[in-house]
Short mmCIF file of all heavy atoms in Angstrom, two decimals:
data_model
loop_
_atom_site.label_atom_id
_atom_site.label_comp_id
_atom_site.label_asym_id
_atom_site.label_seq_id
_atom_site.Cartn_x
_atom_site.Cartn_y
_atom_site.Cartn_z
N TYR A 17 -16.93 -193.26 -124.09
CA TYR A 17 -18.17 -194.05 -124.18
C TYR A 17 -19.03 -193.48 -125.34
O TYR A 17 -19.05 -192.28 -125.62
CB TYR A 17 -18.95 -193.95 -122.87
CG TYR A 17 -18.26 -194.64 -121.81
CD1 TYR A 17 -17.32 -194.02 -120.96
CD2 TYR A 17 -18.55 -196.02 -121.51
CE1 TYR A 17 -16.67 -194.64 -119.95
CE2 TYR A 17 -17.85 -196.69 -120.47
CZ TYR A 17 -16.91 -195.97 -119.71
OH TYR A 17 -16.24 -196.68 -118.73
N ASP A 18 -19.85 -194.38 -125.94
CA ASP A 18 -20.69 -193.93 -127.06
C ASP A 18 -22.09 -193.62 -126.44
O ASP A 18 -22.29 -193.65 -125.20
CB ASP A 18 -20.79 -195.00 -128.15
CG ASP A 18 -21.41 -196.28 -127.76
OD1 ASP A 18 -22.00 -196.44 -126.65
OD2 ASP A 18 -21.40 -197.23 -128.52
N GLU A 19 -23.05 -193.28 -127.31
CA GLU A 19 -24.32 -192.89 -126.85
C GLU A 19 -25.13 -194.00 -126.20
O GLU A 19 -26.15 -193.77 -125.53
CB GLU A 19 -25.13 -192.33 -128.05
CG GLU A 19 -25.46 -193.29 -129.15
CD GLU A 19 -24.37 -193.41 -130.17
OE1 GLU A 19 -23.28 -192.77 -130.11
OE2 GLU A 19 -24.53 -194.07 -131.16
N HIS A 20 -24.60 -195.29 -126.29
CA HIS A 20 -25.31 -196.43 -125.72
C HIS A 20 -24.51 -196.86 -124.39
O HIS A 20 -24.91 -197.87 -123.81
CB HIS A 20 -25.32 -197.58 -126.66
CG HIS A 20 -26.07 -197.27 -127.91
ND1 HIS A 20 -27.42 -197.05 -128.03
CD2 HIS A 20 -25.54 -197.10 -129.16
CE1 HIS A 20 -27.70 -196.81 -129.26
NE2 HIS A 20 -26.63 -196.87 -129.97
N GLY A 21 -23.56 -196.02 -124.00
CA GLY A 21 -22.87 -196.37 -122.76
C GLY A 21 -21.75 -197.35 -122.87
O GLY A 21 -21.22 -197.87 -121.92
N ARG A 22 -21.34 -197.72 -124.19
CA ARG A 22 -20.34 -198.75 -124.38
C ARG A 22 -18.93 -198.05 -124.46
O ARG A 22 -18.84 -196.94 -125.12
CB ARG A 22 -20.55 -199.51 -125.69
CG ARG A 22 -21.80 -200.41 -125.61
CD ARG A 22 -21.93 -201.10 -126.87
NE ARG A 22 -22.32 -200.13 -127.92
CZ ARG A 22 -23.29 -200.26 -128.77
NH1 ARG A 22 -24.02 -201.40 -128.84
NH2 ARG A 22 -23.53 -199.36 -129.74
N LEU A 23 -17.94 -198.60 -123.87
CA LEU A 23 -16.58 -198.08 -123.93
C LEU A 23 -16.11 -198.12 -125.30
O LEU A 23 -16.15 -199.16 -126.06
CB LEU A 23 -15.64 -198.94 -122.99
CG LEU A 23 -14.26 -198.48 -123.01
CD1 LEU A 23 -14.07 -197.12 -122.34
CD2 LEU A 23 -13.45 -199.47 -122.20
N VAL A 24 -15.67 -196.93 -125.82
CA VAL A 24 -15.09 -196.86 -127.18
C VAL A 24 -13.61 -196.70 -127.15
O VAL A 24 -12.86 -197.45 -127.90
CB VAL A 24 -15.69 -195.61 -127.92
CG1 VAL A 24 -15.11 -195.41 -129.31
CG2 VAL A 24 -17.12 -195.76 -128.01
N ARG A 25 -13.04 -195.91 -126.24
CA ARG A 25 -11.59 -195.72 -126.14
C ARG A 25 -11.26 -195.47 -124.65
O ARG A 25 -12.09 -194.98 -123.88
CB ARG A 25 -11.18 -194.55 -126.94
CG ARG A 25 -11.27 -194.63 -128.39
CD ARG A 25 -10.84 -193.25 -129.05
NE ARG A 25 -11.25 -193.28 -130.47
CZ ARG A 25 -12.46 -192.84 -130.88
NH1 ARG A 25 -13.32 -192.35 -130.04
NH2 ARG A 25 -12.78 -192.89 -132.10
N ALA A 26 -10.02 -195.79 -124.30
CA ALA A 26 -9.50 -195.52 -122.97
C ALA A 26 -8.20 -194.69 -123.09
O ALA A 26 -7.41 -194.97 -123.93
CB ALA A 26 -9.20 -196.86 -122.23
N LEU A 27 -8.22 -193.66 -122.32
CA LEU A 27 -7.01 -192.74 -122.28
C LEU A 27 -6.23 -193.05 -120.95
O LEU A 27 -6.81 -192.91 -119.87
CB LEU A 27 -7.47 -191.34 -122.39
CG LEU A 27 -6.35 -190.28 -122.37
CD1 LEU A 27 -5.31 -190.46 -123.49
CD2 LEU A 27 -6.97 -188.86 -122.40
N HIS A 28 -4.93 -193.31 -121.14
CA HIS A 28 -4.06 -193.63 -120.01
C HIS A 28 -3.03 -192.57 -119.91
O HIS A 28 -2.44 -192.26 -120.93
CB HIS A 28 -3.41 -195.04 -120.09
CG HIS A 28 -4.39 -196.12 -120.24
ND1 HIS A 28 -4.97 -196.77 -119.20
CD2 HIS A 28 -4.99 -196.72 -121.39
CE1 HIS A 28 -5.88 -197.69 -119.66
NE2 HIS A 28 -5.78 -197.74 -120.93
N PHE A 29 -2.78 -192.06 -118.67
CA PHE A 29 -1.77 -191.00 -118.46
C PHE A 29 -0.59 -191.71 -117.80
O PHE A 29 -0.71 -192.42 -116.81
CB PHE A 29 -2.32 -189.89 -117.60
CG PHE A 29 -3.44 -189.17 -118.28
CD1 PHE A 29 -4.77 -189.30 -117.83
CD2 PHE A 29 -3.16 -188.28 -119.37
CE1 PHE A 29 -5.79 -188.64 -118.42
CE2 PHE A 29 -4.25 -187.66 -119.91
CZ PHE A 29 -5.57 -187.78 -119.46
N GLU A 30 0.65 -191.41 -118.28
CA GLU A 30 1.85 -192.06 -117.71
C GLU A 30 2.99 -191.04 -117.58
O GLU A 30 2.89 -189.92 -118.17
CB GLU A 30 2.28 -193.18 -118.70
CG GLU A 30 1.25 -194.19 -118.91
CD GLU A 30 1.54 -195.18 -120.05
OE1 GLU A 30 2.59 -194.99 -120.74
OE2 GLU A 30 0.84 -196.13 -120.22
N ASP A 31 4.08 -191.41 -117.07
CA ASP A 31 5.31 -190.69 -116.93
C ASP A 31 5.11 -189.21 -116.54
O ASP A 31 5.38 -188.29 -117.16
CB ASP A 31 6.01 -190.66 -118.34
CG ASP A 31 7.49 -190.38 -118.30
OD1 ASP A 31 8.08 -190.35 -117.21
OD2 ASP A 31 8.04 -190.06 -119.33
N VAL A 32 4.70 -189.08 -115.22
CA VAL A 32 4.48 -187.75 -114.62
C VAL A 32 5.83 -187.08 -114.36
O VAL A 32 6.73 -187.72 -113.72
CB VAL A 32 3.67 -187.93 -113.27
CG1 VAL A 32 3.54 -186.50 -112.61
CG2 VAL A 32 2.34 -188.51 -113.63
N ARG A 33 5.95 -185.89 -114.89
CA ARG A 33 7.14 -185.08 -114.72
C ARG A 33 6.73 -183.58 -114.34
O ARG A 33 5.68 -183.17 -114.69
CB ARG A 33 7.94 -185.11 -115.93
CG ARG A 33 8.54 -186.42 -116.34
CD ARG A 33 9.32 -186.37 -117.59
NE ARG A 33 9.79 -187.70 -117.96
CZ ARG A 33 10.82 -187.91 -118.77
NH1 ARG A 33 11.47 -186.94 -119.23
NH2 ARG A 33 11.11 -189.19 -119.03
N GLU A 34 7.78 -182.82 -113.97
CA GLU A 34 7.53 -181.41 -113.83
C GLU A 34 7.83 -180.69 -115.04
O GLU A 34 9.03 -180.68 -115.55
CB GLU A 34 8.27 -180.86 -112.62
CG GLU A 34 7.88 -179.47 -112.32
CD GLU A 34 8.40 -178.95 -110.96
OE1 GLU A 34 8.38 -179.72 -110.09
OE2 GLU A 34 8.82 -177.74 -110.97
N LEU A 35 6.91 -179.94 -115.64
CA LEU A 35 7.07 -179.14 -116.86
C LEU A 35 6.33 -177.84 -116.60
O LEU A 35 5.13 -177.84 -116.14
CB LEU A 35 6.54 -179.78 -118.13
CG LEU A 35 7.26 -181.05 -118.65
CD1 LEU A 35 6.55 -181.65 -119.88
CD2 LEU A 35 8.67 -180.78 -118.98
N GLY A 36 6.91 -176.76 -116.96
CA GLY A 36 6.21 -175.50 -116.83
C GLY A 36 5.84 -175.18 -115.35
O GLY A 36 4.86 -174.46 -115.13
N GLY A 37 6.58 -175.76 -114.39
CA GLY A 37 6.35 -175.46 -113.01
C GLY A 37 5.19 -176.37 -112.42
O GLY A 37 4.76 -176.10 -111.32
N ARG A 38 4.68 -177.31 -113.19
CA ARG A 38 3.67 -178.19 -112.73
C ARG A 38 3.94 -179.63 -112.99
O ARG A 38 4.65 -179.99 -113.95
CB ARG A 38 2.28 -177.86 -113.47
CG ARG A 38 1.86 -176.48 -113.22
CD ARG A 38 0.54 -176.18 -113.99
NE ARG A 38 0.20 -174.78 -114.05
CZ ARG A 38 -0.84 -174.32 -114.52
NH1 ARG A 38 -1.76 -175.11 -115.14
NH2 ARG A 38 -1.14 -172.97 -114.51
N ARG A 39 3.46 -180.50 -112.17
CA ARG A 39 3.54 -181.98 -112.35
C ARG A 39 2.43 -182.43 -113.25
O ARG A 39 1.25 -182.32 -112.91
CB ARG A 39 3.61 -182.64 -111.08
CG ARG A 39 4.86 -182.39 -110.32
CD ARG A 39 5.05 -183.21 -108.99
NE ARG A 39 4.88 -184.65 -109.14
CZ ARG A 39 5.78 -185.46 -109.63
NH1 ARG A 39 6.93 -185.04 -110.02
NH2 ARG A 39 5.59 -186.78 -109.72
N ILE A 40 2.81 -182.93 -114.38
CA ILE A 40 1.74 -183.41 -115.41
C ILE A 40 2.24 -184.79 -116.00
O ILE A 40 3.43 -185.03 -116.11
CB ILE A 40 1.51 -182.35 -116.51
CG1 ILE A 40 2.82 -182.14 -117.31
CG2 ILE A 40 1.00 -181.07 -115.90
CD1 ILE A 40 2.62 -181.31 -118.62
N PRO A 41 1.28 -185.53 -116.54
CA PRO A 41 1.68 -186.76 -117.26
C PRO A 41 2.18 -186.33 -118.57
O PRO A 41 1.62 -185.43 -119.31
CB PRO A 41 0.38 -187.51 -117.36
CG PRO A 41 -0.67 -186.47 -117.18
CD PRO A 41 -0.14 -185.38 -116.37
N THR A 42 3.34 -186.79 -119.04
CA THR A 42 3.98 -186.42 -120.29
C THR A 42 3.72 -187.45 -121.41
O THR A 42 4.08 -187.18 -122.54
CB THR A 42 5.39 -186.14 -120.12
OG1 THR A 42 6.02 -187.41 -119.60
CG2 THR A 42 5.67 -185.05 -119.16
N ARG A 43 3.25 -188.56 -121.01
CA ARG A 43 2.83 -189.55 -122.06
C ARG A 43 1.38 -189.92 -121.93
O ARG A 43 0.91 -190.41 -120.90
CB ARG A 43 3.73 -190.78 -121.85
CG ARG A 43 3.47 -191.90 -122.84
CD ARG A 43 4.42 -193.11 -122.50
NE ARG A 43 4.02 -194.30 -123.14
CZ ARG A 43 4.37 -194.69 -124.31
NH1 ARG A 43 5.27 -193.97 -125.00
NH2 ARG A 43 3.97 -195.86 -124.88
N TRP A 44 0.59 -189.69 -122.95
CA TRP A 44 -0.80 -189.98 -123.03
C TRP A 44 -1.00 -191.12 -124.10
O TRP A 44 -0.63 -190.97 -125.24
CB TRP A 44 -1.61 -188.74 -123.43
CG TRP A 44 -1.47 -187.57 -122.56
CD1 TRP A 44 -0.50 -187.35 -121.62
CD2 TRP A 44 -2.22 -186.41 -122.63
NE1 TRP A 44 -0.70 -186.17 -120.97
CE2 TRP A 44 -1.81 -185.47 -121.69
CE3 TRP A 44 -3.33 -185.99 -123.38
CZ2 TRP A 44 -2.31 -184.27 -121.44
CZ3 TRP A 44 -3.91 -184.76 -123.15
CH2 TRP A 44 -3.34 -183.89 -122.23
N VAL A 45 -1.70 -192.16 -123.71
CA VAL A 45 -1.91 -193.34 -124.55
C VAL A 45 -3.41 -193.51 -124.74
O VAL A 45 -4.14 -193.83 -123.82
CB VAL A 45 -1.27 -194.59 -123.99
CG1 VAL A 45 -1.50 -195.77 -125.02
CG2 VAL A 45 0.21 -194.39 -123.76
N MET A 46 -3.94 -193.36 -125.93
CA MET A 46 -5.35 -193.60 -126.36
C MET A 46 -5.43 -194.98 -127.01
O MET A 46 -4.79 -195.22 -127.96
CB MET A 46 -5.79 -192.52 -127.26
CG MET A 46 -7.25 -192.69 -127.62
SD MET A 46 -8.44 -192.36 -126.37
CE MET A 46 -8.42 -190.58 -126.32
N GLN A 47 -6.21 -195.83 -126.38
CA GLN A 47 -6.41 -197.18 -126.92
C GLN A 47 -7.91 -197.45 -127.30
O GLN A 47 -8.75 -197.30 -126.48
CB GLN A 47 -6.02 -198.22 -125.92
CG GLN A 47 -4.51 -198.11 -125.61
CD GLN A 47 -4.04 -199.06 -124.57
OE1 GLN A 47 -4.61 -199.18 -123.46
NE2 GLN A 47 -2.94 -199.77 -124.80
N PRO A 48 -8.15 -197.83 -128.50
CA PRO A 48 -9.51 -198.16 -128.88
C PRO A 48 -9.92 -199.48 -128.21
O PRO A 48 -9.13 -200.43 -128.09
CB PRO A 48 -9.48 -198.40 -130.40
CG PRO A 48 -8.07 -198.48 -130.77
CD PRO A 48 -7.21 -197.92 -129.65
N ALA A 49 -11.17 -199.59 -127.76
CA ALA A 49 -11.63 -200.77 -126.98
C ALA A 49 -11.77 -201.97 -127.83
O ALA A 49 -11.57 -203.14 -127.35
CB ALA A 49 -12.93 -200.46 -126.25
N ASP A 50 -12.02 -201.80 -129.14
CA ASP A 50 -12.34 -202.93 -130.01
C ASP A 50 -11.18 -203.28 -130.87
O ASP A 50 -11.29 -204.16 -131.74
CB ASP A 50 -13.58 -202.56 -130.90
CG ASP A 50 -13.34 -201.32 -131.77
OD1 ASP A 50 -12.37 -200.66 -131.55
OD2 ASP A 50 -14.17 -201.20 -132.63
N GLU A 51 -9.96 -202.66 -130.66
CA GLU A 51 -8.81 -202.99 -131.47
C GLU A 51 -7.59 -203.17 -130.57
O GLU A 51 -6.73 -202.30 -130.48
CB GLU A 51 -8.58 -201.87 -132.53
CG GLU A 51 -9.67 -201.77 -133.51
CD GLU A 51 -9.36 -200.74 -134.56
OE1 GLU A 51 -8.53 -200.93 -135.43
OE2 GLU A 51 -9.90 -199.63 -134.47
N PRO A 52 -7.50 -204.35 -129.86
CA PRO A 52 -6.38 -204.59 -129.02
C PRO A 52 -5.02 -204.42 -129.81
O PRO A 52 -4.90 -204.83 -130.96
CB PRO A 52 -6.56 -206.02 -128.57
CG PRO A 52 -8.06 -206.33 -128.80
CD PRO A 52 -8.38 -205.54 -129.98
N GLY A 53 -4.04 -203.89 -129.14
CA GLY A 53 -2.78 -203.72 -129.74
C GLY A 53 -2.58 -202.40 -130.53
O GLY A 53 -1.44 -202.07 -130.85
N LYS A 54 -3.74 -201.72 -130.82
CA LYS A 54 -3.52 -200.42 -131.49
C LYS A 54 -3.63 -199.31 -130.45
O LYS A 54 -4.30 -199.46 -129.47
CB LYS A 54 -4.71 -200.28 -132.47
CG LYS A 54 -4.55 -201.13 -133.76
CD LYS A 54 -5.48 -200.68 -134.85
CE LYS A 54 -5.19 -201.53 -136.05
NZ LYS A 54 -6.03 -201.11 -137.15
N GLN A 55 -2.90 -198.26 -130.75
CA GLN A 55 -2.91 -197.08 -129.83
C GLN A 55 -2.37 -195.88 -130.50
O GLN A 55 -1.66 -195.93 -131.49
CB GLN A 55 -2.10 -197.42 -128.55
CG GLN A 55 -0.65 -197.68 -128.92
CD GLN A 55 0.17 -198.09 -127.60
OE1 GLN A 55 -0.44 -198.49 -126.67
NE2 GLN A 55 1.47 -197.95 -127.61
N THR A 56 -2.71 -194.71 -129.94
CA THR A 56 -2.22 -193.41 -130.35
C THR A 56 -1.44 -192.90 -129.13
O THR A 56 -2.00 -192.81 -128.06
CB THR A 56 -3.27 -192.57 -130.82
OG1 THR A 56 -3.96 -193.07 -131.93
CG2 THR A 56 -2.69 -191.13 -131.17
N VAL A 57 -0.21 -192.48 -129.28
CA VAL A 57 0.56 -191.95 -128.19
C VAL A 57 0.93 -190.46 -128.42
O VAL A 57 1.41 -190.15 -129.46
CB VAL A 57 1.87 -192.78 -128.05
CG1 VAL A 57 2.71 -192.26 -126.84
CG2 VAL A 57 1.59 -194.24 -127.79
N LEU A 58 0.66 -189.67 -127.40
CA LEU A 58 1.06 -188.27 -127.41
C LEU A 58 2.10 -188.06 -126.36
O LEU A 58 1.83 -188.42 -125.16
CB LEU A 58 -0.17 -187.37 -127.18
CG LEU A 58 0.12 -185.86 -126.97
CD1 LEU A 58 0.37 -185.24 -128.33
CD2 LEU A 58 -1.11 -185.22 -126.32
N ILE A 59 3.28 -187.56 -126.68
CA ILE A 59 4.30 -187.30 -125.74
C ILE A 59 4.53 -185.77 -125.69
O ILE A 59 4.87 -185.12 -126.64
CB ILE A 59 5.67 -187.99 -126.09
CG1 ILE A 59 5.44 -189.56 -126.09
CG2 ILE A 59 6.75 -187.56 -125.18
CD1 ILE A 59 6.52 -190.36 -126.56
N ILE A 60 4.35 -185.19 -124.46
CA ILE A 60 4.64 -183.83 -124.28
C ILE A 60 5.98 -183.60 -123.77
O ILE A 60 6.50 -184.09 -122.79
CB ILE A 60 3.63 -183.30 -123.14
CG1 ILE A 60 2.20 -183.49 -123.66
CG2 ILE A 60 3.90 -181.80 -122.88
CD1 ILE A 60 1.17 -183.16 -122.57
N GLN A 61 6.75 -182.78 -124.63
CA GLN A 61 8.20 -182.56 -124.33
C GLN A 61 8.38 -181.20 -123.62
O GLN A 61 9.31 -181.00 -122.82
CB GLN A 61 9.00 -182.61 -125.65
CG GLN A 61 9.04 -183.98 -126.22
CD GLN A 61 9.78 -184.12 -127.48
OE1 GLN A 61 9.94 -183.11 -128.21
NE2 GLN A 61 10.33 -185.24 -127.87
N SER A 62 7.52 -180.23 -123.99
CA SER A 62 7.59 -179.01 -123.28
C SER A 62 6.16 -178.32 -123.35
O SER A 62 5.39 -178.73 -124.18
CB SER A 62 8.63 -177.99 -124.00
OG SER A 62 8.16 -177.64 -125.30
N ILE A 63 5.95 -177.44 -122.45
CA ILE A 63 4.58 -176.81 -122.41
C ILE A 63 4.70 -175.46 -121.76
O ILE A 63 5.56 -175.20 -120.94
CB ILE A 63 3.61 -177.80 -121.56
CG1 ILE A 63 2.15 -177.31 -121.72
CG2 ILE A 63 4.02 -177.74 -120.15
CD1 ILE A 63 1.14 -178.37 -121.22
N THR A 64 3.72 -174.58 -122.19
CA THR A 64 3.64 -173.21 -121.60
C THR A 64 2.22 -173.08 -121.11
O THR A 64 1.27 -173.24 -121.88
CB THR A 64 4.02 -172.14 -122.69
OG1 THR A 64 5.35 -172.36 -123.13
CG2 THR A 64 3.93 -170.78 -122.07
N PHE A 65 2.09 -172.75 -119.85
CA PHE A 65 0.74 -172.54 -119.25
C PHE A 65 0.41 -171.05 -119.36
O PHE A 65 1.31 -170.14 -119.18
CB PHE A 65 0.69 -173.08 -117.87
CG PHE A 65 0.77 -174.53 -117.79
CD1 PHE A 65 2.00 -175.09 -117.37
CD2 PHE A 65 -0.26 -175.33 -118.03
CE1 PHE A 65 2.06 -176.52 -117.31
CE2 PHE A 65 -0.22 -176.72 -117.94
CZ PHE A 65 0.99 -177.28 -117.51
N ASN A 66 -0.81 -170.71 -119.61
CA ASN A 66 -1.38 -169.37 -119.58
C ASN A 66 -0.55 -168.43 -120.50
O ASN A 66 -0.13 -167.33 -120.08
CB ASN A 66 -1.39 -168.76 -118.19
CG ASN A 66 -2.20 -169.64 -117.35
OD1 ASN A 66 -3.30 -170.03 -117.70
ND2 ASN A 66 -1.74 -169.91 -116.09
N PRO A 67 -0.34 -168.78 -121.81
CA PRO A 67 0.40 -167.87 -122.69
C PRO A 67 -0.45 -166.67 -123.04
O PRO A 67 -1.73 -166.75 -123.01
CB PRO A 67 0.74 -168.76 -123.91
CG PRO A 67 -0.51 -169.71 -123.93
CD PRO A 67 -0.75 -170.01 -122.51
N VAL A 68 0.20 -165.62 -123.33
CA VAL A 68 -0.53 -164.43 -123.80
C VAL A 68 -0.89 -164.62 -125.29
O VAL A 68 0.00 -164.79 -126.09
CB VAL A 68 0.33 -163.09 -123.61
CG1 VAL A 68 -0.40 -161.93 -124.09
CG2 VAL A 68 0.63 -162.94 -122.12
N ILE A 69 -2.20 -164.56 -125.59
CA ILE A 69 -2.68 -164.70 -126.95
C ILE A 69 -3.28 -163.39 -127.34
O ILE A 69 -4.23 -162.88 -126.81
CB ILE A 69 -3.70 -165.80 -127.05
CG1 ILE A 69 -3.09 -167.13 -126.50
CG2 ILE A 69 -4.24 -165.90 -128.54
CD1 ILE A 69 -4.14 -168.24 -126.42
N PRO A 70 -2.74 -162.80 -128.49
CA PRO A 70 -3.26 -161.56 -128.96
C PRO A 70 -4.76 -161.64 -129.33
O PRO A 70 -5.15 -162.63 -129.96
CB PRO A 70 -2.34 -161.15 -130.13
CG PRO A 70 -1.27 -162.14 -130.18
CD PRO A 70 -1.63 -163.28 -129.30
N ALA A 71 -5.53 -160.62 -129.05
CA ALA A 71 -6.93 -160.63 -129.41
C ALA A 71 -7.14 -160.79 -130.89
O ALA A 71 -8.10 -161.34 -131.40
CB ALA A 71 -7.63 -159.35 -128.91
N SER A 72 -6.15 -160.40 -131.76
CA SER A 72 -6.27 -160.46 -133.18
C SER A 72 -6.34 -161.97 -133.64
O SER A 72 -6.85 -162.20 -134.75
CB SER A 72 -5.04 -159.78 -133.88
OG SER A 72 -3.84 -160.37 -133.47
N VAL A 73 -5.91 -162.88 -132.80
CA VAL A 73 -6.10 -164.31 -133.21
C VAL A 73 -7.54 -164.70 -133.34
O VAL A 73 -7.85 -165.55 -134.15
CB VAL A 73 -5.29 -165.14 -132.14
CG1 VAL A 73 -5.63 -166.60 -132.34
CG2 VAL A 73 -3.83 -164.90 -132.21
N PHE A 74 -8.42 -164.03 -132.56
CA PHE A 74 -9.82 -164.39 -132.54
C PHE A 74 -10.70 -163.59 -133.45
O PHE A 74 -11.93 -163.54 -133.22
CB PHE A 74 -10.29 -164.28 -131.10
CG PHE A 74 -9.50 -165.23 -130.20
CD1 PHE A 74 -8.48 -164.70 -129.42
CD2 PHE A 74 -9.68 -166.65 -130.19
CE1 PHE A 74 -7.75 -165.54 -128.57
CE2 PHE A 74 -8.96 -167.49 -129.41
CZ PHE A 74 -8.01 -166.95 -128.56
N THR A 75 -10.16 -162.99 -134.51
CA THR A 75 -11.01 -162.37 -135.49
C THR A 75 -11.74 -163.31 -136.30
O THR A 75 -11.32 -164.52 -136.42
CB THR A 75 -10.16 -161.42 -136.42
OG1 THR A 75 -9.34 -162.24 -137.17
CG2 THR A 75 -9.44 -160.42 -135.66
N ARG A 76 -12.85 -163.02 -136.86
CA ARG A 76 -13.64 -163.95 -137.69
C ARG A 76 -12.82 -164.44 -138.82
O ARG A 76 -12.85 -165.60 -139.24
CB ARG A 76 -14.93 -163.30 -138.18
CG ARG A 76 -15.93 -163.21 -137.08
CD ARG A 76 -17.23 -162.72 -137.66
NE ARG A 76 -18.17 -162.68 -136.55
CZ ARG A 76 -19.32 -162.12 -136.59
NH1 ARG A 76 -19.72 -161.53 -137.70
NH2 ARG A 76 -20.12 -162.12 -135.56
N GLN A 77 -12.02 -163.56 -139.49
CA GLN A 77 -11.18 -163.93 -140.63
C GLN A 77 -10.17 -165.05 -140.21
O GLN A 77 -10.04 -166.11 -140.88
CB GLN A 77 -10.44 -162.75 -141.17
CG GLN A 77 -9.57 -163.13 -142.34
CD GLN A 77 -8.87 -161.87 -142.97
OE1 GLN A 77 -8.98 -160.82 -142.37
NE2 GLN A 77 -8.17 -162.04 -144.06
N ASN A 78 -9.48 -164.80 -139.08
CA ASN A 78 -8.52 -165.87 -138.58
C ASN A 78 -9.19 -167.13 -138.19
O ASN A 78 -8.69 -168.19 -138.39
CB ASN A 78 -7.74 -165.28 -137.43
CG ASN A 78 -6.58 -164.38 -137.90
OD1 ASN A 78 -6.18 -164.40 -139.04
ND2 ASN A 78 -6.09 -163.57 -136.98
N LEU A 79 -10.36 -167.08 -137.60
CA LEU A 79 -11.07 -168.24 -137.18
C LEU A 79 -11.50 -169.12 -138.35
O LEU A 79 -11.56 -170.29 -138.37
CB LEU A 79 -12.18 -167.94 -136.24
CG LEU A 79 -11.76 -167.40 -134.89
CD1 LEU A 79 -12.98 -166.89 -134.09
CD2 LEU A 79 -11.01 -168.41 -134.06
N ARG A 80 -11.92 -168.34 -139.40
CA ARG A 80 -12.30 -169.10 -140.66
C ARG A 80 -11.11 -169.85 -141.34
O ARG A 80 -11.31 -170.94 -141.78
CB ARG A 80 -12.89 -168.14 -141.73
CG ARG A 80 -14.35 -167.82 -141.34
CD ARG A 80 -14.96 -167.04 -142.58
NE ARG A 80 -16.07 -166.23 -142.00
CZ ARG A 80 -16.13 -164.96 -141.86
NH1 ARG A 80 -15.10 -164.20 -142.16
NH2 ARG A 80 -17.19 -164.36 -141.36
N ARG A 81 -9.96 -169.18 -141.38
CA ARG A 81 -8.87 -169.77 -142.09
C ARG A 81 -7.99 -170.61 -141.21
O ARG A 81 -7.10 -171.34 -141.69
CB ARG A 81 -8.05 -168.68 -142.83
CG ARG A 81 -7.30 -167.80 -141.94
CD ARG A 81 -6.41 -166.86 -142.63
NE ARG A 81 -5.84 -165.99 -141.64
CZ ARG A 81 -4.95 -165.13 -141.78
NH1 ARG A 81 -4.55 -164.89 -143.02
NH2 ARG A 81 -4.55 -164.43 -140.85
N GLY A 82 -8.08 -170.43 -139.90
CA GLY A 82 -7.20 -171.16 -138.95
C GLY A 82 -6.01 -170.31 -138.68
O GLY A 82 -5.03 -170.29 -139.53
N ALA A 83 -6.01 -169.60 -137.55
CA ALA A 83 -4.87 -168.72 -137.21
C ALA A 83 -3.62 -169.62 -137.03
O ALA A 83 -3.70 -170.69 -136.51
CB ALA A 83 -5.22 -167.92 -135.97
N ARG A 84 -2.51 -169.01 -137.29
CA ARG A 84 -1.23 -169.74 -137.19
C ARG A 84 -0.31 -169.00 -136.22
O ARG A 84 -0.20 -167.96 -136.05
CB ARG A 84 -0.52 -169.77 -138.55
CG ARG A 84 -1.34 -170.71 -139.45
CD ARG A 84 -0.69 -170.82 -140.81
NE ARG A 84 -1.38 -171.77 -141.47
CZ ARG A 84 -2.18 -171.76 -142.48
NH1 ARG A 84 -2.35 -171.03 -142.95
NH2 ARG A 84 -2.91 -172.62 -142.96
#
């Protein structure tokens, strides 16, 4: 929704499967409200929950350049 309360986009979740030991929707479809027929689709093929992330990823230098 925008700042005036109008629907801008709708996100639909589909194709629920078990990945990483959890049941999650594996297909996410984002549709703009003002452009019928257009959509962006995200398909999750694999996922890792609660990965260990080294503290070094969060240094100011890495955050400025985008840690990889």
